[in-house]
Amino acid sequence: MKFFPHKTLLVFALGATTFSLADELEEVVVTADFRASELMTNASSVSILGELQMQERGAQHLEDVLSAAPNVSWSTGASRSRFVQIRGIGDLEQYAEPKYYPSVGVMVDDLELGSAANAGMLFDVAQVEILRGPQGTRFGASAHAGIVKINSNAPTKEFEAMLRGGVGNYGAYNYGAVLSGPLGESIAGRIALQQNRGDGYVENEYKGSNDSNKFDEVTGRGRLVWQPNDSASYELALFSFDAENGYDAYSLNNDRYTWSDQPGKDSQDTLALSVKGQWELGASNTLQAVATDLNADLGYSYDADWISPEVCEMNACSFGHDTAQERFDRDRDQTTFDLRLLGGSESMARGDWRYAFGLYGNQSSETLDYAYPSAWYGLYQSVSDYETDRYAAYGELEYAFSDALTLTAGLRLERFEDEYRDSNGVAHAGEDDLYNTELSLQYSFSDNVFGYATLALASKPGGVNVAASSQYAFMSPDFQGFMTGKLRFEDETLLNRELGLKLRALDNRFELRGALFYATRKNAQLENWMWDDAAGLWIGYLDSNSDSDSYGLELETSFDATDAIEVFANLGWLETQVDDITTFDLDRWEFVVKEDRDQSKSPGYQYNAGIRAVLPAGVSGVLEVEGRDESYFGYYHDGKLQSYDLLNASLSWANDSLRLNVWGRNLTNEDYATHGLYFGADPRDDFGAWSNQTYYQLGAPRTYGLDISWWL
């Protein structure tokens, strides 16, 4: 049998011919902590997306399911939505800047993906865990605002094999295989391979092609578990991801028809290895060790002027057009080590206590080859190297004042060092001492009602504004003056206060999880851009000269209305405010101060709601809606991503060995934006040549397909 860590039952997931949603209750387990814990007694705001939900949506990548979690948004700015924001905090895009420590961490099992998060594929994945709010004691700067953890399926003690394939519109298809089972009395292994392809959702009129924004991804996972005795276990895991995706996403007309003569790419070749060991030291102590090594070659480019010469042959264009393709080629290496001792009581009754102590290290390096060959500005290119070292000691103590009341206190001390140098003669080095602390009270009001109150202080290191440092000598005097003192950005501290309540009622047919939070950021690291027209430079940098506040609510509910019908609804509400930020206004053509501004990519509300039904003869179905409020997408302008509402549905049939799933997303075919830019890009006189306009990268249109899974 397949294991689905989801509230919905195993038989439903397999599609048995008779089934009741209320037959039994499967506990959902959160693993992204020192100890695995049940979702309903975990003292944080957590969303768990199970394998069944991924299959219902026909999900291939993390971006296909994130919208189900409240107060979680994302940016594209690439072929995939690999920039995640939680409660309005997170990276928006990546060009020259390295992203070793994004505000929201993305992990696959024990691997920290960082800027390699295009690899967040969902084939043979058991569940996705989204933890909102700082997770500083456990992950440090890697989870400053939260973390997304993808758990692949583990090797099984019994033989299991599965073939899966699917087809969809826009030339989409995928196929993959899983093989799992024992290799001896104490060894089990699992291997999963998948190819995913699609034309993308753009037609290039100049090229006469419909795949310039294509997907072409191969994912491979191998896991080997050895348990020689009851007190020791070892795991070796290999992860591979190869993508040759296109990047041709922007149109002067804000539609899905481009005229670029040099379409870009968003490629990735990642190979990673992890080794894990666990040893039981007596009755109450466990030693754990994890070591990982990751190498990623990342290629990113795009047609910088978005058009071909034919556009200005068919239209009158002021000053013609530039011809350029901006290119970023990265080679990234990362090695991590985590050694942890867990001890104390397994269950927490009055007077019991337990602890976790550990040591962590992370050494990362990145070489960037950058080129911008421009007909107007000439060839600009550089080579840079950026290295970071992080070392941490951490600990957590839990004490039970009574059978119902528990106190948890955690502390993490982290040393951060970085060094940057490039071919333009720019060099920087820095070092920081970072502190992450957490204090949490948990109270069980009854077997079905759990509450918590948490106070967490998290730190994220400062660093080098790589692009601005490299470009500094080429900037015009006014911009040089403005950037003086901004070539590095400061540490950010985040103080989060949170109250949570989780309960079950009506004979466990109703479930609710809610959290209220209020967070303040000191030296908030805010992504900003400026256009230096005299030098022909876009200057991107992190600005840490302002503070920011945010507060909000997250609610997740489900209700088994009958034995065969489940209703669910998730809601996020968010209010944010940046005290003040100075930027160069493209319309006023001067530096301005913007006060009390909403954070970028911080929609005021998000929701996901629907109904799941089990029908006769092995049939099941889901109908759901999702949406979000409008939000700013930058600080150098007032452009917004508009609000939207999407309709999704699926219909499945299954027996003991076969599952068929017909799915559709955005069934009303709504145009909505996932990222935006604001500047003068259009040379055509009839369209207001070179006037500042808002341009959008559009989300997926109506997509649908059929997936088939066959268990051998």
Short mmCIF file of all heavy atoms in Angstrom, two decimals, residues 167-173 196-203 210-215 256-257 663 665-666 669-671 698-705:
data_model
loop_
_atom_site.label_atom_id
_atom_site.label_comp_id
_atom_site.label_asym_id
_atom_site.label_seq_id
_atom_site.Cartn_x
_atom_site.Cartn_y
_atom_site.Cartn_z
N VAL A 167 -0.37 13.34 -19.36
CA VAL A 167 -0.38 14.25 -20.51
C VAL A 167 -1.28 15.42 -20.18
O VAL A 167 -2.19 15.32 -19.35
CB VAL A 167 -0.88 13.54 -21.80
CG1 VAL A 167 0.09 12.46 -22.22
CG2 VAL A 167 -2.28 12.97 -21.59
N GLY A 168 -1.03 16.56 -20.83
CA GLY A 168 -1.84 17.74 -20.61
C GLY A 168 -1.79 18.65 -21.80
O GLY A 168 -1.11 18.38 -22.80
N ASN A 169 -2.52 19.75 -21.72
CA ASN A 169 -2.48 20.72 -22.81
C ASN A 169 -1.16 21.47 -22.79
O ASN A 169 -0.32 21.29 -21.91
CB ASN A 169 -3.68 21.66 -22.75
CG ASN A 169 -3.77 22.45 -21.45
OD1 ASN A 169 -3.23 22.04 -20.41
ND2 ASN A 169 -4.46 23.58 -21.50
N TYR A 170 -0.93 22.31 -23.77
CA TYR A 170 0.33 23.02 -23.99
C TYR A 170 1.51 22.05 -24.11
O TYR A 170 2.61 22.32 -23.63
CB TYR A 170 0.58 24.04 -22.87
CG TYR A 170 -0.41 25.18 -22.87
CD1 TYR A 170 -1.50 25.17 -22.01
CD2 TYR A 170 -0.26 26.25 -23.74
CE1 TYR A 170 -2.43 26.21 -22.02
CE2 TYR A 170 -1.19 27.30 -23.75
CZ TYR A 170 -2.26 27.26 -22.90
OH TYR A 170 -3.18 28.29 -22.91
N GLY A 171 1.26 20.90 -24.73
CA GLY A 171 2.33 19.95 -25.01
C GLY A 171 2.94 19.31 -23.78
O GLY A 171 4.06 18.78 -23.84
N ALA A 172 2.23 19.30 -22.66
CA ALA A 172 2.80 18.78 -21.42
C ALA A 172 2.70 17.26 -21.37
O ALA A 172 1.69 16.68 -21.76
CB ALA A 172 2.08 19.38 -20.22
N TYR A 173 3.76 16.63 -20.90
CA TYR A 173 3.72 15.20 -20.59
C TYR A 173 4.81 14.89 -19.57
O TYR A 173 5.79 15.63 -19.43
CB TYR A 173 3.88 14.33 -21.85
CG TYR A 173 5.22 14.42 -22.53
CD1 TYR A 173 6.26 13.53 -22.21
CD2 TYR A 173 5.47 15.39 -23.51
CE1 TYR A 173 7.48 13.60 -22.85
CE2 TYR A 173 6.69 15.46 -24.14
CZ TYR A 173 7.70 14.56 -23.81
OH TYR A 173 8.92 14.64 -24.44
N ASN A 196 9.84 15.43 -16.94
CA ASN A 196 8.68 16.32 -17.07
C ASN A 196 8.96 17.33 -18.16
O ASN A 196 9.98 18.02 -18.15
CB ASN A 196 8.42 17.05 -15.75
CG ASN A 196 7.25 18.00 -15.84
OD1 ASN A 196 6.12 17.58 -16.11
ND2 ASN A 196 7.50 19.29 -15.64
N ARG A 197 8.04 17.43 -19.12
CA ARG A 197 8.23 18.35 -20.23
C ARG A 197 6.92 19.08 -20.55
O ARG A 197 5.84 18.58 -20.29
CB ARG A 197 8.70 17.61 -21.49
CG ARG A 197 10.15 17.11 -21.41
CD ARG A 197 10.56 16.46 -22.70
NE ARG A 197 11.96 16.05 -22.65
CZ ARG A 197 12.57 15.35 -23.61
NH1 ARG A 197 11.90 14.97 -24.69
NH2 ARG A 197 13.85 15.03 -23.50
N GLY A 198 7.07 20.25 -21.14
CA GLY A 198 5.93 21.03 -21.59
C GLY A 198 6.39 22.21 -22.41
O GLY A 198 7.53 22.67 -22.25
N ASP A 199 5.53 22.69 -23.29
CA ASP A 199 5.90 23.81 -24.17
C ASP A 199 5.90 25.15 -23.45
O ASP A 199 6.43 26.13 -23.98
CB ASP A 199 4.93 23.89 -25.35
CG ASP A 199 5.06 22.71 -26.29
OD1 ASP A 199 6.14 22.07 -26.31
OD2 ASP A 199 4.08 22.42 -27.00
N GLY A 200 5.31 25.23 -22.26
CA GLY A 200 5.10 26.52 -21.64
C GLY A 200 3.88 27.20 -22.24
O GLY A 200 3.16 26.62 -23.07
N TYR A 201 3.66 28.45 -21.85
CA TYR A 201 2.39 29.10 -22.18
C TYR A 201 2.59 30.36 -23.03
O TYR A 201 1.77 31.27 -23.01
CB TYR A 201 1.66 29.45 -20.89
CG TYR A 201 1.70 28.34 -19.88
CD1 TYR A 201 2.30 28.51 -18.63
CD2 TYR A 201 1.17 27.09 -20.19
CE1 TYR A 201 2.35 27.47 -17.72
CE2 TYR A 201 1.21 26.04 -19.28
CZ TYR A 201 1.81 26.24 -18.05
OH TYR A 201 1.87 25.21 -17.15
N VAL A 202 3.69 30.40 -23.81
CA VAL A 202 4.03 31.58 -24.60
C VAL A 202 4.27 31.15 -26.05
O VAL A 202 4.85 30.09 -26.32
CB VAL A 202 5.30 32.27 -24.04
CG1 VAL A 202 5.86 33.27 -25.02
CG2 VAL A 202 4.98 32.94 -22.71
N GLU A 203 3.84 31.99 -26.97
CA GLU A 203 4.15 31.80 -28.39
C GLU A 203 5.07 32.93 -28.84
O GLU A 203 4.77 34.10 -28.65
CB GLU A 203 2.88 31.79 -29.23
CG GLU A 203 1.97 30.60 -28.96
CD GLU A 203 0.82 30.52 -29.94
OE1 GLU A 203 0.97 31.06 -31.07
OE2 GLU A 203 -0.23 29.96 -29.59
N ASN A 210 6.26 27.74 -30.18
CA ASN A 210 5.42 27.83 -28.98
C ASN A 210 6.11 27.23 -27.76
O ASN A 210 5.46 26.95 -26.76
CB ASN A 210 4.08 27.14 -29.21
CG ASN A 210 4.23 25.65 -29.47
OD1 ASN A 210 5.36 25.13 -29.56
ND2 ASN A 210 3.11 24.95 -29.61
N ASP A 211 7.44 27.02 -27.83
CA ASP A 211 8.14 26.40 -26.71
C ASP A 211 9.35 27.20 -26.24
O ASP A 211 10.27 26.65 -25.64
CB ASP A 211 8.57 24.97 -27.07
CG ASP A 211 9.59 24.93 -28.21
OD1 ASP A 211 9.83 25.98 -28.83
OD2 ASP A 211 10.13 23.84 -28.47
N SER A 212 9.37 28.51 -26.50
CA SER A 212 10.51 29.33 -26.05
C SER A 212 10.50 29.52 -24.54
O SER A 212 11.50 29.96 -23.97
CB SER A 212 10.50 30.69 -26.75
OG SER A 212 9.29 31.38 -26.51
N ASN A 213 9.38 29.20 -23.89
CA ASN A 213 9.29 29.28 -22.43
C ASN A 213 8.99 27.90 -21.87
O ASN A 213 8.22 27.74 -20.92
CB ASN A 213 8.18 30.26 -22.03
CG ASN A 213 8.42 30.88 -20.67
OD1 ASN A 213 9.53 31.24 -20.32
ND2 ASN A 213 7.36 31.01 -19.88
N LYS A 214 9.65 26.89 -22.42
CA LYS A 214 9.35 25.49 -22.16
C LYS A 214 9.84 25.02 -20.80
O LYS A 214 10.66 25.67 -20.13
CB LYS A 214 10.01 24.63 -23.23
CG LYS A 214 11.54 24.65 -23.15
CD LYS A 214 12.18 23.76 -24.19
CE LYS A 214 13.72 23.81 -24.05
NZ LYS A 214 14.40 22.96 -25.04
N PHE A 215 9.33 23.84 -20.40
CA PHE A 215 9.86 23.08 -19.27
C PHE A 215 10.49 21.79 -19.81
O PHE A 215 9.91 21.12 -20.66
CB PHE A 215 8.75 22.70 -18.29
CG PHE A 215 7.99 23.87 -17.73
CD1 PHE A 215 6.70 24.14 -18.14
CD2 PHE A 215 8.58 24.70 -16.80
CE1 PHE A 215 6.00 25.22 -17.63
CE2 PHE A 215 7.89 25.79 -16.28
CZ PHE A 215 6.60 26.05 -16.70
N ARG A 256 0.54 36.72 -24.08
CA ARG A 256 1.38 35.53 -24.18
C ARG A 256 2.04 35.40 -25.55
O ARG A 256 2.40 34.30 -25.96
CB ARG A 256 0.55 34.27 -23.87
CG ARG A 256 -0.08 34.31 -22.48
CD ARG A 256 -0.79 33.01 -22.15
NE ARG A 256 -1.57 33.14 -20.94
CZ ARG A 256 -1.07 33.05 -19.71
NH1 ARG A 256 0.22 32.83 -19.54
NH2 ARG A 256 -1.85 33.19 -18.65
N TYR A 257 2.25 36.53 -26.22
CA TYR A 257 2.88 36.53 -27.54
C TYR A 257 4.11 37.43 -27.48
O TYR A 257 4.01 38.63 -27.24
CB TYR A 257 1.90 37.03 -28.61
CG TYR A 257 0.69 36.15 -28.74
CD1 TYR A 257 -0.46 36.41 -28.00
CD2 TYR A 257 0.70 35.03 -29.58
CE1 TYR A 257 -1.58 35.61 -28.11
CE2 TYR A 257 -0.42 34.22 -29.69
CZ TYR A 257 -1.55 34.51 -28.95
OH TYR A 257 -2.66 33.70 -29.05
N TRP A 663 -7.51 16.28 -14.09
CA TRP A 663 -7.39 17.49 -13.27
C TRP A 663 -7.43 18.73 -14.16
O TRP A 663 -7.10 18.69 -15.35
CB TRP A 663 -6.09 17.47 -12.47
CG TRP A 663 -4.85 17.32 -13.32
CD1 TRP A 663 -4.23 16.15 -13.67
CD2 TRP A 663 -4.12 18.37 -13.96
NE1 TRP A 663 -3.15 16.41 -14.49
CE2 TRP A 663 -3.07 17.76 -14.69
CE3 TRP A 663 -4.25 19.76 -14.01
CZ2 TRP A 663 -2.15 18.49 -15.43
CZ3 TRP A 663 -3.35 20.49 -14.77
CH2 TRP A 663 -2.30 19.86 -15.46
N ARG A 665 -6.65 23.18 -13.63
CA ARG A 665 -6.35 24.35 -12.79
C ARG A 665 -6.66 25.62 -13.57
O ARG A 665 -6.49 25.68 -14.79
CB ARG A 665 -4.87 24.35 -12.36
CG ARG A 665 -4.48 23.16 -11.50
CD ARG A 665 -3.13 23.39 -10.81
NE ARG A 665 -2.03 23.57 -11.75
CZ ARG A 665 -1.27 22.59 -12.22
NH1 ARG A 665 -1.50 21.33 -11.85
NH2 ARG A 665 -0.28 22.84 -13.05
N ASN A 666 -7.12 26.64 -12.85
CA ASN A 666 -7.52 27.90 -13.46
C ASN A 666 -8.53 27.64 -14.59
O ASN A 666 -8.36 28.07 -15.74
CB ASN A 666 -6.30 28.67 -14.00
CG ASN A 666 -6.65 30.07 -14.47
OD1 ASN A 666 -7.74 30.59 -14.22
ND2 ASN A 666 -5.71 30.68 -15.19
N ASN A 669 -9.80 30.28 -16.88
CA ASN A 669 -8.77 30.87 -17.76
C ASN A 669 -8.53 32.34 -17.45
O ASN A 669 -8.44 33.19 -18.34
CB ASN A 669 -9.16 30.70 -19.23
CG ASN A 669 -7.95 30.78 -20.16
OD1 ASN A 669 -6.84 30.41 -19.78
ND2 ASN A 669 -8.15 31.27 -21.36
N GLU A 670 -8.40 32.66 -16.18
CA GLU A 670 -8.16 34.04 -15.77
C GLU A 670 -6.71 34.41 -15.99
O GLU A 670 -5.79 33.64 -15.69
CB GLU A 670 -8.52 34.22 -14.29
CG GLU A 670 -8.29 35.64 -13.80
CD GLU A 670 -8.85 35.88 -12.42
OE1 GLU A 670 -9.61 35.03 -11.92
OE2 GLU A 670 -8.54 36.95 -11.84
N ASP A 671 -6.47 35.61 -16.54
CA ASP A 671 -5.12 36.15 -16.64
C ASP A 671 -4.76 36.80 -15.29
O ASP A 671 -5.49 37.67 -14.80
CB ASP A 671 -5.03 37.21 -17.75
CG ASP A 671 -4.98 36.59 -19.14
OD1 ASP A 671 -4.59 35.41 -19.24
OD2 ASP A 671 -5.35 37.28 -20.10
N LEU A 698 2.94 36.52 -16.50
CA LEU A 698 1.63 35.93 -16.23
C LEU A 698 1.77 34.53 -15.65
O LEU A 698 2.67 33.77 -16.01
CB LEU A 698 0.81 35.88 -17.52
CG LEU A 698 0.49 37.24 -18.17
CD1 LEU A 698 -0.27 37.04 -19.47
CD2 LEU A 698 -0.30 38.13 -17.22
N GLY A 699 0.84 34.20 -14.77
CA GLY A 699 0.74 32.85 -14.26
C GLY A 699 0.15 31.91 -15.29
O GLY A 699 -0.27 32.33 -16.39
N ALA A 700 0.08 30.64 -14.97
CA ALA A 700 -0.40 29.64 -15.92
C ALA A 700 -1.85 29.90 -16.28
O ALA A 700 -2.68 30.21 -15.43
CB ALA A 700 -0.25 28.24 -15.32
N PRO A 701 -2.19 29.77 -17.57
CA PRO A 701 -3.59 29.88 -17.99
C PRO A 701 -4.35 28.61 -17.62
O PRO A 701 -3.90 27.84 -16.75
CB PRO A 701 -3.47 30.04 -19.51
CG PRO A 701 -2.25 29.27 -19.85
CD PRO A 701 -1.31 29.47 -18.70
N ARG A 702 -5.49 28.38 -18.27
CA ARG A 702 -6.22 27.14 -18.02
C ARG A 702 -5.34 25.95 -18.43
O ARG A 702 -4.88 25.85 -19.57
CB ARG A 702 -7.52 27.10 -18.81
CG ARG A 702 -8.31 25.81 -18.60
CD ARG A 702 -9.44 25.66 -19.61
NE ARG A 702 -10.43 26.72 -19.44
CZ ARG A 702 -10.74 27.59 -20.37
NH1 ARG A 702 -10.12 27.56 -21.55
NH2 ARG A 702 -11.66 28.52 -20.15
N THR A 703 -5.08 25.07 -17.48
CA THR A 703 -4.33 23.85 -17.78
C THR A 703 -5.12 22.65 -17.30
O THR A 703 -5.85 22.73 -16.30
CB THR A 703 -2.94 23.86 -17.10
OG1 THR A 703 -3.09 24.07 -15.69
CG2 THR A 703 -2.05 24.95 -17.67
N TYR A 704 -4.98 21.55 -18.02
CA TYR A 704 -5.70 20.34 -17.66
C TYR A 704 -4.92 19.14 -18.17
O TYR A 704 -4.05 19.26 -19.06
CB TYR A 704 -7.12 20.34 -18.23
CG TYR A 704 -7.20 20.63 -19.70
CD1 TYR A 704 -7.02 19.63 -20.67
CD2 TYR A 704 -7.45 21.94 -20.13
CE1 TYR A 704 -7.08 19.93 -22.01
CE2 TYR A 704 -7.52 22.23 -21.48
CZ TYR A 704 -7.33 21.23 -22.42
OH TYR A 704 -7.39 21.52 -23.76
N GLY A 705 -5.21 17.98 -17.59
CA GLY A 705 -4.49 16.80 -18.01
C GLY A 705 -5.04 15.54 -17.38
O GLY A 705 -5.99 15.56 -16.58
#
